[in-house]
Amino acid sequence: DIQMTQSPSSLSASVGDRVTVTCRASQSIAGYLNWYQHKTGKAPKLLIYAASSLQSGVPSRFSGSGSGTDFILTINSLQPEDFATYYCQQSHSSPWTIGQGTKVDIK
Amino acid sequence: EVQLVQSGAEVRRPGEALKVSCKSSGDTFSTSWIAWVRQMPGKGLELMGIIYSGDSDTRYSPSFQGHVTLSVDKSTSTAFLQWSSLKASDSAMYYCASGPSSGWYLDHWGQGTQVTVSS
């Protein structure tokens, strides 16, 4: 199975900060990488698909980049509603796998 | 707009069977991937497996292979997650999610089903 490793596991940031979350795959997954946001008590939400494509309705302050094994989720100008846990997920090979999550909380 | 509505919270005893459902609205069910995702208390998301509703092609994550069964009923646009013998460690929140066959992502999610297994 392809292992997905996110870093950091958690971070503290302030409103207005630029935040980056890294995701590394244990082998090349080309661009088959998606990012999700999950808030406690709610369903997860797709933010970015195919490494860099913004899902419809997602604010443009979210962006994704990378290919192969290394990927980055960037949140420009963090907003109060962005405090959540973020997950990367690969769909290059079965079984699809998810990273362990990065919790973004308020500094 | 696709909506996924999951069945309600369940409480079972160890060793009991359980089947949880995820009903899809919209007209894309027959060409969708359906995934099931577990979140144990205080932990992250774990992808249990995926099933293609068109032909029931199913891929299980190794950690869940042999312990759960995924299935779909195209006539009712409903996906199912079932256990034949629950363990206390199956207590968790379970989400279904769907994505298009043309893409490789999960763009619609159910609201979650809380499963509690306790003697």
Side-chain angles (χ1 to χ4, degrees):
Chain A
D1 299 359
I2 296 177
Q3 305 304 314
M4 307 300 293
T5 304
Q6 292 182 230
S7 60
S9 296
S10 65
L11 65 90
S12 296
S14 300
V15 172
D17 283 354
R18 181 170 184 258
V19 169
T20 60
V21 179
T22 298
C23 177
R24 174 164 288 175
S26 59
Q27 64 189 72
S28 178
I29 57 170
Y32 291 90
L33 190 283
N34 310 308
W35 290 98
Y36 300 87
Q37 178 192 67
H38 190 207
K39 297 180 180 180
T40 302
K42 299 205 169 183
K45 174 184 176 182
L46 176 66
L47 299 175
I48 303 285
Y49 63 95
S52 60
S53 296
L54 190 67
Q55 171 68 353
S56 175
V58 174
S60 59
R61 62 181 179 273
F62 291 92
S63 63
S65 64
S67 67
T69 60
D70 295 308
F71 301 85
I72 296 173
L73 171 70
T74 301
I75 311 172
N76 284 302
S77 188
L78 196 69
Q79 296 301 298
E81 60 268 30
D82 300 337
F83 293 97
T85 302
Y86 294 86
Y87 295 88
C88 62
Q89 174 251 321
Q90 67 83 18
S91 51
H92 177 271
S93 304
S94 291
W96 293 1
T97 46
I98 295 178
Q100 83 280 13
T102 295
K103 184 175 182 179
V104 177
D105 62 22
I106 301 173
K107 182 184 288 185
Chain B
E1 174 68 19
V2 172
Q3 283 194 330
L4 300 178
V5 179
Q6 297 183 228
S7 50
E10 302 276 5
V11 179
R12 291 286 188 277
R13 299 191 186 280
E16 292 186 339
L18 177 63
K19 195 171 188 178
V20 172
S21 67
C22 169
K23 185 172 176 58
S24 175
S25 63
D27 55 2
T28 59
F29 183 81
S30 62
T31 57
S32 297
W33 289 99
I34 306 294
W36 286 91
V37 176
R38 181 176 78 175
Q39 185 175 37
M40 300 180 75
K43 302 297 184 182
L45 304 177
E46 300 172 89
L47 217 157
M48 304 171 69
I50 55 173
I51 181 168
Y52 182 62
S53 55
D55 60 7
S56 294
D57 180 18
T58 308
R59 318 288 176 85
Y60 293 98
S61 296
S63 299
F64 297 93
Q65 178 86 47
H67 187 54
V68 298
T69 302
L70 307 188
S71 60
V72 295
D73 180 345
K74 288 194 290 186
S75 69
T76 61
S77 298
T78 304
F80 300 95
L81 167 65
Q82 68 180 85
W83 296 260
S84 58
S85 180
L86 285 160
K87 303 176 183 177
S89 56
D90 293 319
S91 297
M93 178 69 82
Y94 293 88
Y95 294 99
C96 65
S98 70
S101 61
S102 57
W104 302 95
Y105 49 82
L106 301 168
D107 57 349
H108 294 93
W109 290 72
Q111 82 278 17
T113 296
Q114 180 69 48
V115 173
T116 302
V117 184
S118 175
S119 55

